[in-house]
Amino acid sequence: MSAMSADAAKVTEEEEQMQEVVSSLERSAELSMESNDGADLEAEYCATSIWEKEKKHFFVLSDAGKPIFSRYSEDSPDIIPLMGVASLIIARSHGSVRTICAGGTTIVFLLREPLFLFCASRTGETVAHLRSQLKYLYAQMTFVLTTRTFDTLRRNPSFDIRSLLQGTRGSLLEMINTAERTPNLFLESISTLPLSAPVRAKAQKIIRSEKQETLNYAILMCGFELVALMQPKNNELHPSDLLLIMNFVNTHTSLRQSETWMPLCLPKFNPTGFLHGYCSYLNGATNVSLMLITTDSNPENFHQFQAVKARVEIKLQENGVMKAIDEAQKKPNITTAELGVPQAFHFVYACKVSKLAQCCSVAFSMPYNSESSQERLLKRYQHVYHMAHGCTTKGGEAYTGGVIGRYSKGSKRTSEVTGVGNKGNDDATYEANDIVVDLLPTEIVAGFVGDGFEVYFAVSPLAEMDLIQSCLDRILKAVKRSESILFFMEKNTWS
């Protein structure tokens, strides 16, 4: 009992010390407000309203407490005391803090010394998905700097890396926006431009014919969608590295105006060193770009790759590939009704039969005509995804569903997973081949993880299990019929 009392006293003492520091910061802020003139008070009021108005904030700071990135009000003086509080929480936890739930707000930390990343969210997203977004933010910063720069910051805490991150804010913000409006991040999959198999095969053949001794990776993309890819057999790109490349290329308008030779770091390939890439948009195509990557830092490769790009561009035009790409990007996304699954409101499908994980989704239709309803559905997909994969799902919003029924056809999973029951905190263990279901007043969201694929879909809240199983069957058959169009199935290695 005495040991327990001592532990309780220690916890109480730490809480009191924490409160003293927070109160001190509050008093400093009050004194600062009293000394400001009217204009400063108005600016501070605007900054405070932003903190309250926005539902999700992201911050990056150094282990010395220096602010590096903020999603909103990056130049606000309010950030300094906020970083102080965050540093204090991390220090008091001895670097073990991961999640804090306070009312309707979930705060998630990702500690990658000498960088600390955290987000504060009132959106109801899962803790696992919020942490995944922090990991992608860290990866996008690594894409520009490599972890060697972070080692420099570790040795010299006064070193300011913000100057090295100039011009990357758009990429960091777009990565956050991508997580909110697409399933790519939580599925860790890339999107592929729908093209007929013969057209994609032509694009692959054209790029393969331009193999150079120093050329390691060739990526042809249309916006955020993959068109063609060639890579070494034993060093295939990880989908997350491809997402970083696409995000960087599409958020830097300067790349559209000229051919560029640039260093880049692919964290899954090698987080400590740079590769070098040649990037250029194709003439007459506002959204089609070619990225050629090499491990050789010789700047003479720029001229060699410049010639490769010119030849590839001519061949793509002559073989009708550019015309097909233009038509494909203008074509509206297909609906569930057009695919022969009118009972389903919407679905997302991930193809993971190879190392190149890909995903596709149908167009949003009733009842998801508004942006808010689309974001809400994507959040439900996140919950079901993390439930199906055994991740912690309680994070700002409790589960309303559980597991019902069993899917008896198709591929089987090889291991059981743990989900969350309808109270939001009860463990519910279920066997392979179960359909994971989230019951809501507006819809039923179901998920199924098979061998090499995953599918998540929404149906009427009145649907029974027979209808849910029927929708799953139809979705799988519809995707199978269009598999060669929806996904990149061609050989993508040089040899």
Side-chain angles (χ1 to χ4, degrees):
M1 290 291 292
S2 59
M4 293 178 62
S5 300
D7 290 341
K10 183 178 179 181
V11 170
T12 302
E13 181 181 356
E14 289 182 351
E15 290 177 349
E16 290 176 352
Q17 291 175 348
M18 177 80 75
Q19 185 59 45
E20 286 179 7
V21 174
V22 173
S23 299
S24 176
L25 288 170
E26 291 175 346
R27 287 195 298 270
S28 298
E30 289 173 1
L31 290 172
S32 175
M33 287 182 65
E34 290 174 1
S35 63
N36 285 338
D37 57 21
D40 291 337
L41 285 171
E42 183 178 356
E44 186 153 354
Y45 171 78
C46 292
T48 303
S49 66
I50 290 176
W51 302 131
E52 296 173 351
K53 176 183 176 182
E54 303 298 341
K55 291 186 177 182
K56 187 163 67 171
H57 297 269
F58 285 85
F59 304 96
V60 181
L61 67 152
S62 69
D63 55 4
K66 284 188 174 183
I68 295 173
F69 170 80
S70 171
R71 185 182 187 184
Y72 302 108
S73 297
E74 193 168 48
D75 298 325
S76 170
D78 292 349
I79 286 185
I80 303 300
L82 182 61
M83 297 300 100
V85 173
S87 297
L88 178 64
I89 292 172
I90 294 168
R92 287 299 175 87
S93 71
H94 303 290
S96 63
V97 62
R98 289 175 59 81
T99 308
I100 298 174
C101 293
T105 302
T106 301
I107 305 172
V108 180
F109 293 83
L110 179 69
L111 309 183
R112 294 287 187 268
E113 292 189 30
L115 298 186
F116 297 151
L117 302 88
F118 71 99
C119 67
S121 171
R122 293 183 285 116
T123 60
E125 293 170 88
T126 63
V127 170
H129 186 55
L130 292 172
R131 183 165 286 112
S132 175
Q133 293 173 60
L134 291 174
K135 289 179 179 179
Y136 270 99
L137 273 183
Y138 179 78
Q140 192 72 67
M141 296 174 70
T142 305
F143 181 91
V144 178
L145 301 177
T146 78
T147 55
R148 287 187 178 182
T149 304
F150 302 148
D151 291 339
T152 302
L153 180 61
R154 185 182 291 109
R155 293 190 298 268
N156 182 12
S158 63
F159 177 63
D160 190 355
I161 68 171
R162 287 178 296 181
S163 59
L164 302 179
L165 289 170
Q166 286 184 357
T168 64
R169 180 172 174 79
S171 295
L172 299 176
L173 294 176
E174 183 60 29
M175 186 60 73
I176 297 171
N177 295 335
T178 297
E180 294 177 343
R181 63 171 184 257
T182 74
N184 295 83
L185 262 63
F186 75 83
L187 290 174
E188 204 163 37
S189 304
I190 63 168
S191 296
T192 306
L193 183 70
L195 289 171
S196 67
V199 170
R200 203 182 303 278
K202 285 181 183 178
Q204 285 292 100
K205 184 178 179 181
I206 290 169
I207 293 177
R208 186 183 289 111
S209 68
E210 293 296 335
K211 175 67 176 97
Q212 308 291 313
E213 184 178 350
T214 57
L215 178 57
N216 298 99
Y217 301 95
I219 308 164
L220 182 64
M221 64 194 96
C222 180
F224 288 88
E225 296 178 310
L226 181 68
V227 176
L229 168 69
M230 292 302 297
Q231 55 189 341
K233 187 174 184 179
N234 297 320
N235 277 311
E236 292 94 336
L237 287 175
H238 192 277
S240 63
D241 283 343
L242 271 172
L243 286 172
L244 295 178
I245 292 171
M246 291 180 177
N247 186 62
F248 186 86
V249 171
N250 284 278
T251 53
H252 283 73
T253 55
S254 60
L255 297 179
R256 298 176 180 270
Q257 301 166 2
S258 62
E259 298 167 292
T260 305
W261 178 255
M262 60 184 181
L264 54 93
C265 173
L266 302 180
K268 293 292 185 180
F269 181 85
N270 178 14
T272 64
F274 280 119
L275 301 174
H276 286 77
Y278 166 90
C279 182
S280 175
Y281 277 79
L282 305 190
N283 292 331
T286 57
N287 224 18
V288 183
S289 59
L290 179 66
M291 172 72 83
L292 305 175
I293 301 175
T294 178
T295 56
D296 186 358
S297 61
N298 188 345
E300 289 300 318
N301 286 315
F302 172 83
H303 302 290
Q304 184 180 4
F305 290 173
Q306 191 179 41
V308 169
K309 176 257 181 180
R311 292 193 296 269
V312 166
E313 187 172 27
I314 292 173
K315 293 177 183 178
L316 290 175
Q317 290 284 4
E318 291 177 346
N319 286 271
V321 176
M322 289 302 297
K323 181 180 179 182
I325 292 174
D326 186 58
E327 292 174 352
Q329 66 175 328
K330 292 178 180 177
K331 190 176 180 180
N333 207 357
I334 197 168
T335 65
T336 55
E338 292 171 332
L339 279 174
V341 197
Q343 297 87 350
F345 294 158
H346 186 268
F347 75 81
V348 171
Y349 184 100
C351 176
K352 299 188 175 183
V353 294
S354 66
K355 293 182 180 179
L356 185 64
Q358 305 164 66
C359 67
C360 70
S361 62
V362 293
F364 286 106
S365 55
M366 287 290 292
Y368 307 113
N369 289 340
S370 67
E371 187 175 329
S372 59
S373 63
Q374 294 168 13
E375 290 180 358
R376 178 176 56 81
L377 178 61
L378 287 174
K379 290 171 191 172
R380 302 322 306 174
Y381 285 154
Q382 295 166 23
H383 279 253
V384 175
Y385 170 86
H386 292 300
M387 185 178 181
H389 287 270
C391 300
T392 302
T393 52
K394 185 181 179 184
E397 186 174 350
Y399 261 94
T400 55
V403 181
I404 62 174
R406 174 164 298 170
Y407 181 69
S408 58
K409 301 177 182 179
S411 304
K412 293 185 177 181
R413 282 180 285 160
T414 56
S415 61
E416 65 179 23
V417 294
T418 301
V420 176
N422 56 10
K423 292 183 180 180
N425 55 6
D426 296 330
D427 289 338
T429 302
Y430 52 95
E431 298 177 356
N433 273 354
D434 283 328
I435 300 177
V436 182
V437 176
D438 191 9
L439 308 174
L440 291 171
T442 51
E443 71 269 309
I444 293 176
V445 176
F448 181 78
V449 181
D451 184 11
F453 73 91
E454 301 177 29
V455 60
Y456 304 91
F457 58 99
V459 296
S460 166
L462 304 177
E464 297 183 354
M465 193 61 203
D466 288 344
L467 178 60
I468 293 174
Q469 287 183 330
S470 174
C471 282
L472 179 56
D473 281 331
R474 293 187 178 190
I475 290 171
L476 296 180
K477 290 176 182 177
V479 172
K480 188 65 178 178
R481 287 195 302 267
S482 305
E483 189 176 52
S484 62
I485 297 175
L486 297 173
F487 300 114
F488 186 93
M489 309 299 291
E490 289 74 14
K491 179 183 177 182
N492 56 32
T493 58
W494 297 111
S495 58

